[in-house]
Amino acid sequence: MSAALLVRFPLIAPPAIKFCGLTLEDDVHRAEELGAAYVGGIRAGGPRLLTAAGWRAVLGPRRDGVERVAVLGELSVNELLGQATALDADIVQWHGDPSASDVRSARAAGLRIWPVLRVAGPTLPKSAWSLAAESEALVLDAKVTGQLGGTGVPLEWAALAADVRRWRNDHPTVALVLAGGLRPENVREAAELLGPDVVDVSSGVELAPGIKDPERMRAFVDAVRGRS
């Protein structure tokens, strides 16, 4: 089915925005000024990697108006708990293909978990349903061999639309976080096709890995909110 024939989501309320891969305090402050609901720092490897001390310095303390997301990788539940506690993160975004039972264990220990589901092709894996049963939110990102995330590769939004609608009908209280290749130029289309609760951007608003472009950050926010 072509994108033109798909029923699109009426964006009565635009999705919340998460700026991720942040490495500079100035970029975190700018994200807050632009109205981002979430700011993310990466502790899972790659060119935007922060040390634990760097994550705390860049993302800052808990505060009203914005939640700090720690992006963690292939860890056991106990390792995840240790890192999340050390960072004092508001939310943990868990890459590394966690199982539903691992997510359940981490939530039972008091963590707010966003498991990441890596998607390749036009259908959602069955684990989208099992993970949602244990989660407050599910992150969809592109599956790229050898990389956990942050690839800048978009999902097949139009092809996935039917599956995502079915998933949302089955799990109406679970937030959908859309990542993968979002940019100011395409985020509105992605949001209209999949109706996410949160759009997650990193490389799409950068001058260089971890260094955000103020103009592209603003353009991304304007696109999400339907401002020309």
Side-chain angles (χ1 to χ4, degrees), residues 23 36 72 152 168:
T23 63
L72 302 180
R168 299 206 65 162

Side-chain angles (χ1 to χ4, degrees), residues 137-164:
L138 181 68
V139 181
L140 298 186
D141 199 358
K143 185 173 185 177
V144 176
T145 301
Q147 297 188 58
L148 287 180
T151 63
V153 175
L155 299 172
E156 296 181 30
W157 305 313
L160 284 166
D163 255 12
V164 168

Side-chain angles (χ1 to χ4, degrees), residues 104-188:
R104 185 187 314 123
S105 296
R107 289 191 74 191
L111 292 186
R112 293 180 61 196
I113 300 291
W114 289 2
V116 177
L117 181 62
R118 298 185 295 159
V119 179
T123 59
L124 288 180
K126 291 182 180 179
S127 54
W129 278 263
S130 59
L131 286 169
E134 305 297 340
S135 307
E136 69 172 78
L138 181 68
V139 181
L140 298 186
D141 199 358
K143 185 173 185 177
V144 176
T145 301
Q147 297 188 58
L148 287 180
T151 63
V153 175
L155 299 172
E156 296 181 30
W157 305 313
L160 284 166
D163 255 12
V164 168
R165 285 175 182 272
R166 183 165 60 90
W167 177 87
R168 299 206 65 162
N169 286 334
D170 292 341
H171 296 285
T173 64
V174 180
L176 177 66
V177 183
L178 181 61
L182 296 179
R183 311 184 303 275
E185 297 82 4
N186 66 15
V187 65
R188 188 75 180 179

Side-chain angles (χ1 to χ4, degrees), residues 5 7 9 30 35 50 57 59 61 68 75 82 93 100 131 138 154 165 175 178 182 188 192 194 199 206 212 221 228:
L5 297 178
V7 176
F9 283 86
R30 184 169 295 108
L50 293 170
L59 279 295
R68 304 154 308 132
L75 303 172
Q93 183 171 313
L131 286 169
L138 181 68
R165 285 175 182 272
L178 181 61
L182 296 179
R188 188 75 180 179
E192 289 177 351
L194 298 185
V199 286
E206 287 185 334
K212 305 309 183 196
V221 172
S228 57

Side-chain angles (χ1 to χ4, degrees), residues 17-99:
I17 294 169
K18 172 174 171 268
F19 285 109
C20 199
L22 296 162
T23 63
L24 300 175
E25 290 180 69
D26 283 350
D27 287 342
V28 172
H29 295 154
R30 184 169 295 108
E32 290 186 72
E33 290 170 357
L34 289 170
Y38 307 96
V39 290
I42 294 174
R43 292 280 298 130
R48 302 166 187 85
L49 177 68
L50 293 170
T51 65
W55 191 96
R56 291 190 295 268
V58 170
L59 279 295
R62 290 178 184 256
R63 54 200 181 272
D64 294 335
V66 68
E67 294 191 288
R68 304 154 308 132
V69 182
V71 179
L72 302 180
E74 295 176 296
L75 303 172
S76 70
V77 173
N78 285 337
E79 290 169 333
L80 186 86
L81 293 171
Q83 285 216 30
T85 300
L87 298 173
D88 189 33
D90 296 298
I91 297 167
V92 172
Q93 183 171 313
W94 195 0
H95 290 254
D97 303 320
S99 68

